[in-house]
Amino acid sequence: MSKNLVIVESPAKAKTIEGYLGKDFTVKSSFGHVRDLPDKGMAIDIENGFKPTYEISPDKVKVVNELKSLAKSSEEVWLATDDDREGESISWHLKEALGLADNTKRIVFREITKKAIQNAIQNPRTIDMDLVNAQQARRLLDRLIGFELSPVLWSKVKKGLSAGRVQSVAVRIIVERERDIETFDSKSSFKVVAQFLLEGNKVLQAELPKNFETEDTARSFLEKCIGASFKIKSLETKPAKKSPSPPFTTSTLQQEASRKLGYSVASTMLYAQKLYEAGKISYMRTDSTNLSEEAIEKAKAAIIDQFGNQYVQTRQYKTKNESAQEAHEAIRPTDFSVTSAGADPKEKRLYELIWKRSIASQMADAQLERTTASITISSTPEELIAQGEVIKFDGFLAVYLESKDDEEDEENSKMLPPLNVNQILNLDTLKATQRFSRPAPRYTEASLVKALEEKGIGRPSTYAPTISTIIKREYVVKEDRPGKERDFKELVLKSDKITEKTSKETYGAEKSKLFPTSVGMVVNDFLVSNFKGVVDFKFTADMEDEFDEIAQGNIEWSKMIDNFYKDFHKTIEESKNAERSSASSTRELGIDPNTGKTVSVKLGKFGPYAQLGDTKDEEKPIFVNLPKDKLLSSITFEEVLELFEKPRLPREIGFYEDKPIIIGAGKLGPYVKHDDKFVSLEATDDPFTIEEPRAIELILAKRAADAGGALGEFEGQPISTGKGRFGPYVKHDGKYFSLGKTDSLTSITLERAIEIILAKRNQEANKYIKEFPENESIKVVNGVYGPYIQIGKRNVKIPKDMVAADLTLEDCIKLGEETPAPTRGRKK
């Protein structure tokens, strides 16, 4: 056993670090957090300083036991989790779970390189409890809010809902933007653009600096220009420069990877994590734009090598965010001489983006020359303006111009043809094109991260899980939506004649945008009305600042929670008398002209739906689920009537066992009705298009699940079938075996079920057990002539009275010790 045990939180990180340490070090992974608050119950003692009760996660018991054993046999234990609050918390939980001393060595590093690891080993510290308490305060506060607020949502809005501190604010941002878009009044104006023909078939484009508000004023302007002469009044040339952006923080990396590479925030963090664990980039959770002096020197050397001395301009950036930890670094390559890295194309693209941004931050400004030409019109005092720029020295743009993603830079660098003052211009066309004002765009993942950061809500480690959570809870959907068509007018002056034409354009098309769902809007409205503090932007940002104060040792964590909880719990108690949310969850839209029945939209157990009729009427109401792109708060009476004009439910689609099969829809969603029994349709089934064979399949599957699906016996134990949360299964002797992709509950036979059970046993028999105490691995192998035990390089026969699948580790060790083995090569 090694003298030193190093514990990290990731297997990939362990593998990389182990390569940098000597034979006296063993590096093991905890696979993330090993302890947390239990899933059920609050587990926080409010009366005794909010003392939490942690437990070892059920899936980490084996890991903890193994680490305990290794820790006891090691001379020194080193906790080497990530250098942030979450990493500090993991180290503390490891110390507690493994029973380690308070002075256990804690090492931190911002990059996984040999130099950084060795430097960390030479400069250990102990666990920083201020950082642990900051993370603990966040965790406990979120548990308190969720545990007390969610039941209020269940009683006042809908069962199964939940609320979170940062997540609820993120939903509010998206909902408010949606409402701004709904109420936006688009106005049209006419933009004037002229094209002049120059010598050598060159074209000069110029624009009128203002737009005309009406078609009449635009036409009047064009009429004035009939027969007019156009002359260059002045040419103004000014030097200008462009400076590079600072290196990436977590937020700016997420935004740029979304814009340039199309990555989601979660994907960006996944690829960055892999690059970090492979030792290719520095730590990817940071809000600092700072680079170390060593990193700047390495970047400088790489720039000189690839571009030359004139491209170097070193800088040290100062982060605008006051809470940023300047001791940390921005995200950068660990070796600037490596221009490409990553295990797959997606990682490579992200690494190249990080490399370019880091290198560019230490390169010279781009030197430009911007030219503005003013063009007079003989018949009117208005002037046209033509602008262009020339790159005199590309500087840092030399890096960006290599990438096709940097279209903005290419667009801004258009040049003007050679021009002279007093030059008479030959007008080709003068167009006045109708344009429409647009509302602020819906949020992408990247722009939402930017909005959260600007409001001071959340920190680098919270952006990705916040977005994932609100999408998972179905308060928000991320999707593409098609645009709509509209007409626009264009007035064209050419050869002293004005022509008019009407064309069509598509507007409002959305790609990978975040849309609030009806449920998200109802929950947001209820929280804003009754728990404004929980979803208040400033309050949430101030709370983040308090977490920072705890991390710096300036605030006692339990007092901070107590200050919040007093008012929060009081509001919870008062909310019990609040009105049940109905204003935004139920809307009566009007009376159906055909039936005279009431048309309404409501929020039900399975989402928003439209209802024709009333439950008090003799005739049962008709229900239709709302399309995903329609909201309870904004769907119109006409749009709902269109939904009811589609094929009506219930509909009869055939017969089975001489009884009709009927497809209907109720408050619990669409269903198949047969022989007075109901079977819910699955999410992929459309009630308007489902056919008889599929309906029969659902009926038989439901029967099998209800009856336990008894198939017969095997080895004296019954075999049954059923359907669980992970899909259809075969059950035998208390164990569950998933069906294959080609199997179904309606077609499974006893023989096929036995095949599945035996195949699973063989698979289990071949699984790796663990290391032998003498560093020899132990496996139970299913060989050609039957199962046997493999210990290191030797094989041990299994006695006939023992079953391979039932062997324990102790059984294998005992059989290995009892079975003689050749002396040669045997480890002592």
Side-chain angles (χ1 to χ4, degrees):
M1 179 55 61
S2 299
K3 295 179 181 178
N4 297 275
L5 172 64
V6 180
I7 305 177
V8 297
E9 69 276 71
S10 156
K13 186 176 174 183
K15 185 178 179 181
T16 307
I17 291 174
E18 200 161 40
Y20 296 134
L21 296 173
K23 61 181 180 179
D24 290 337
F25 287 84
T26 296
V27 185
K28 290 291 182 181
S29 169
S30 69
F31 297 88
H33 273 284
V34 295
R35 292 201 318 171
D36 198 1
L37 298 172
D39 291 337
K40 295 182 179 179
M42 184 182 287
I44 300 172
D45 189 346
I46 297 171
E47 302 300 324
N48 292 293
F50 300 92
K51 183 180 179 181
T53 299
Y54 294 109
E55 67 175 22
I56 296 173
S57 305
D59 61 331
K60 295 296 175 65
V61 172
K62 187 176 178 181
V63 172
V64 169
N65 288 338
E66 184 179 0
L67 291 175
K68 261 185 186 178
S69 177
L70 291 170
K72 285 180 181 178
S73 58
S74 301
E75 294 179 11
E76 194 80 67
V77 177
W78 307 73
L79 300 173
T81 51
D82 288 340
D83 184 19
D84 56 15
R85 295 173 197 172
E86 201 71 26
E88 206 72 20
S89 177
I90 292 174
S91 281
W92 178 71
H93 281 293
L94 279 167
K95 178 186 80 71
E96 295 291 307
L98 303 182
L100 303 177
D102 289 342
N103 63 350
T104 297
K105 291 182 177 178
R106 167 85 168 106
I107 56 172
V108 293
F109 37 85
R110 302 296 297 177
E111 60 182 58
I112 304 178
T113 60
K114 187 171 185 178
K115 183 177 179 181
I117 301 301
Q118 290 177 344
N119 183 60
I121 291 290
Q122 291 168 10
N123 297 279
R125 59 171 173 82
T126 55
I127 292 173
D128 186 334
M129 286 307 299
D130 289 331
L131 295 179
V132 173
N133 289 334
Q135 190 277 341
Q136 184 168 240
R138 179 190 292 276
R139 181 74 181 94
L140 299 186
L141 201 62
D142 289 345
R143 169 59 68 96
L144 287 167
I145 291 172
F147 194 86
E148 296 208 356
L149 188 51
S150 295
V152 176
L153 293 177
W154 301 344
S155 64
K156 302 298 182 181
V157 182
K158 186 170 92 76
K159 281 284 187 183
L161 297 176
S162 58
R165 188 175 52 85
V166 177
Q167 296 94 320
S168 296
V169 175
V171 172
R172 182 182 180 184
I173 291 173
I174 295 169
V175 168
E176 290 187 350
R177 176 60 55 86
E178 190 69 25
R179 292 226 161 98
D180 288 343
I181 293 170
E182 286 177 358
T183 57
F184 181 78
D185 183 18
S186 181
K187 292 182 169 55
S188 71
S189 61
F190 284 79
K191 181 180 180 63
V192 176
V193 177
Q195 283 196 335
F196 301 96
L197 296 179
L198 307 181
E199 290 183 7
N201 293 323
K202 292 182 179 180
V203 177
L204 173 66
Q205 183 170 298
E207 298 177 359
L208 199 66
K210 67 173 184 179
N211 285 7
F212 293 108
E213 293 184 3
T214 65
E215 180 183 349
D216 289 341
T217 53
R219 184 184 293 277
S220 175
F221 172 76
L222 262 59
E223 287 172 348
K224 291 178 186 177
C225 294
I226 294 175
S229 60
F230 299 83
K231 183 173 69 174
I232 294 179
K233 173 186 174 184
S234 65
L235 287 171
E236 186 178 13
T237 301
K238 291 182 178 180
K241 70 175 182 178
K242 283 185 179 179
S243 299
S245 299
F248 283 128
T249 61
T250 302
S251 166
T252 54
L253 175 64
Q254 291 168 348
Q255 294 170 50
E256 196 78 340
S258 174
R259 288 190 292 262
K260 292 185 180 295
L261 308 180
Y263 293 172
S264 69
V265 168
S267 295
T268 297
M269 296 312 293
L270 174 64
Y271 304 142
Q273 177 91 29
K274 290 181 178 179
L275 289 170
Y276 166 68
E277 291 173 348
K280 302 303 179 184
I281 63 170
S282 59
Y283 193 49
M284 67 288 161
R285 292 190 181 92
T286 179
D287 46 16
S288 172
T289 55
N290 185 45
L291 289 181
S292 66
E293 290 301 324
E294 181 184 359
I296 291 174
E297 287 303 312
K298 287 181 178 179
K300 178 180 177 181
I303 295 167
I304 292 172
D305 179 60
Q306 295 190 43
F307 301 98
N309 280 298
Q310 70 273 28
Y311 282 86
V312 175
Q313 185 179 336
T314 59
R315 302 173 181 81
Q316 190 57 273
Y317 293 87
K318 182 71 176 175
T319 305
K320 294 179 182 179
N321 184 356
E322 293 180 2
S323 66
Q325 301 178 64
E326 292 298 341
H328 292 168
E329 280 195 76
I331 304 171
R332 60 164 177 82
T334 55
D335 185 348
F336 283 90
S337 66
V338 177
T339 58
S340 180
D344 59 48
K346 290 184 176 180
E347 286 181 37
K348 289 180 186 295
R349 293 182 72 196
L350 187 66
Y351 177 84
E352 287 166 7
L353 189 65
I354 294 169
W355 183 89
K356 288 177 181 179
R357 179 85 164 221
S358 303
I359 281 285
S361 74
Q362 303 305 311
M363 293 179 71
D365 293 335
Q367 301 300 325
L368 313 173
E369 187 178 80
R370 288 187 177 141
T371 301
T372 301
S374 298
I375 302 168
T376 59
I377 307 169
S378 61
S379 57
T380 180
E382 284 99 340
E383 294 182 355
L384 298 167
I385 301 295
Q387 291 182 318
E389 68 180 27
V390 178
I391 298 176
K392 293 294 187 179
F393 173 64
D394 55 3
F396 78 94
L397 293 178
V399 174
Y400 283 114
L401 289 176
E402 292 176 359
S403 170
K404 64 180 180 183
D405 294 315
D406 298 287
E407 296 170 359
E408 293 178 8
D409 292 325
E410 293 173 356
E411 289 175 4
N412 290 336
S413 61
K414 68 178 182 180
M415 296 173 57
L416 294 180
L419 301 171
N420 299 306
V421 175
N422 296 323
Q423 180 179 345
I424 302 299
L425 300 174
N426 178 25
L427 178 68
D428 179 37
T429 59
L430 188 63
K431 293 182 181 179
T433 306
Q434 188 178 20
R435 290 288 177 255
F436 298 86
S437 58
R438 299 178 182 179
R442 290 182 174 88
Y443 288 102
T444 61
E445 288 194 13
S447 59
L448 179 60
V449 167
K450 185 178 181 181
L452 289 169
E453 186 180 42
E454 287 174 348
K455 294 178 185 296
I457 297 166
R459 290 296 181 261
S461 62
T462 65
Y463 300 133
T466 294
I467 293 173
S468 298
T469 298
I470 61 177
I471 292 175
K472 183 179 178 182
R473 288 178 179 169
E474 297 185 349
Y475 294 158
V476 170
V477 292
K478 176 186 174 183
E479 60 188 19
D480 301 343
R481 289 188 183 173
K484 300 176 183 178
E485 269 196 350
R486 68 181 168 200
D487 295 335
F488 72 95
K489 290 185 177 180
E490 192 171 54
L491 307 175
V492 182
L493 171 60
K494 187 176 178 70
S495 301
D496 290 339
K497 290 184 179 179
I498 297 174
T499 58
E500 177 185 324
K501 68 175 182 177
T502 300
S503 303
K504 292 187 179 296
E505 68 176 359
T506 300
Y507 73 98
E510 305 282 16
K511 185 172 178 59
S512 296
K513 293 292 181 68
L514 298 174
F515 298 85
T517 63
S518 292
V519 174
M521 296 188 86
V522 171
V523 170
N524 174 75
D525 293 348
F526 180 78
L527 293 178
V528 169
S529 297
N530 298 281
F531 296 92
K532 195 166 185 179
V534 175
V535 290
D536 181 75
F537 300 138
K538 186 177 185 307
F539 177 81
T540 308
D542 290 345
M543 196 171 288
E544 294 290 350
D545 292 338
E546 290 191 35
F547 291 144
D548 294 339
E549 289 292 310
I550 294 171
Q552 294 164 20
N554 300 329
I555 296 179
E556 173 66 36
W557 71 270
S558 58
K559 289 182 179 178
M560 177 263 186
I561 294 181
D562 187 49
N563 290 335
F564 164 80
Y565 185 74
K566 288 174 184 175
D567 292 335
F568 174 71
H569 186 69
K570 182 181 177 183
T571 308
I572 289 285
E573 292 299 316
E574 292 172 351
S575 71
K576 292 177 181 178
N577 300 319
E579 290 282 332
R580 179 176 173 83
S581 179
S582 59
S584 56
S585 62
T586 301
R587 289 175 62 217
E588 191 172 300
L589 301 180
I591 303 298
D592 178 20
N594 296 322
T595 64
K597 294 182 178 180
T598 302
V599 176
S600 58
V601 287
K602 301 179 180 181
L603 180 63
K605 182 177 180 182
F606 292 94
Y609 65 92
Q611 179 176 320
L612 178 62
D614 195 289
T615 53
K616 297 176 183 177
D617 298 341
E618 287 186 18
E619 192 176 348
K620 187 178 179 181
I622 297 174
F623 305 97
V624 180
N625 291 332
L626 296 192
K628 284 197 301 182
D629 60 342
K630 300 297 180 184
L631 295 170
L632 278 174
S633 60
S634 59
I635 192 169
T636 65
F637 179 59
E638 291 72 24
E639 288 172 330
V640 172
L641 288 182
E642 285 182 16
L643 295 177
F644 287 118
E645 288 172 3
K646 291 182 178 180
R648 293 287 181 93
L649 298 178
R651 52 186 279 260
E652 187 176 301
I653 62 171
F655 282 80
Y656 179 61
E657 297 174 344
D658 294 328
K659 291 177 179 151
I661 301 172
I662 297 169
I663 307 298
K667 289 184 178 180
L668 303 182
Y671 57 79
V672 178
K673 181 182 178 184
H674 177 260
D675 194 19
D676 288 330
K677 293 183 175 64
F678 295 84
V679 182
S680 294
L681 297 190
E682 295 185 357
T684 54
D685 296 315
D686 185 339
F688 296 107
T689 60
I690 187 172
E691 300 292 341
E692 181 183 301
R694 172 59 179 155
I696 294 173
E697 184 181 341
L698 290 170
I699 292 167
L700 292 175
K702 182 70 164 59
R703 284 182 185 177
D706 291 344
L711 294 176
E713 285 192 3
F714 175 57
E715 296 178 345
Q717 297 288 338
I719 296 179
S720 61
T721 61
K723 190 171 183 181
R725 59 183 296 191
F726 300 111
Y729 60 78
V730 170
K731 183 180 180 183
H732 176 255
D733 196 19
K735 297 179 180 178
Y736 296 85
F737 306 85
S738 295
L739 299 192
K741 291 182 179 179
T742 58
D743 299 312
S744 68
L745 289 174
T746 56
S747 62
I748 190 77
T749 63
L750 176 63
E751 292 74 18
R752 175 58 185 148
I754 293 172
E755 284 180 16
I756 291 171
I757 294 167
L758 292 176
K760 182 65 174 176
R761 284 184 182 177
N762 287 337
Q763 182 184 355
E764 289 292 322
N766 282 307
K767 72 180 180 180
Y768 174 83
I769 299 179
K770 64 180 286 187
E771 283 191 351
F772 192 64
E774 296 178 348
N775 289 334
E776 290 181 320
S777 63
I778 293 182
K779 297 179 183 177
V780 178
V781 181
N782 193 44
V784 178
Y785 301 104
Y788 62 90
I789 303 169
Q790 188 179 77
I791 302 177
K793 294 183 178 180
R794 67 191 181 99
N795 301 333
V796 176
K797 188 177 180 180
I798 299 174
K800 291 182 180 179
D801 60 342
M802 300 186 79
V803 180
D806 296 333
L807 288 176
T808 65
L809 174 63
E810 290 71 26
D811 293 332
C812 295
I813 294 172
K814 188 174 181 181
L815 287 171
E817 291 172 346
E818 293 174 352
T819 304
T823 304
R824 189 179 69 171
R826 182 177 173 85
K827 294 182 181 179
K828 300 295 183 182

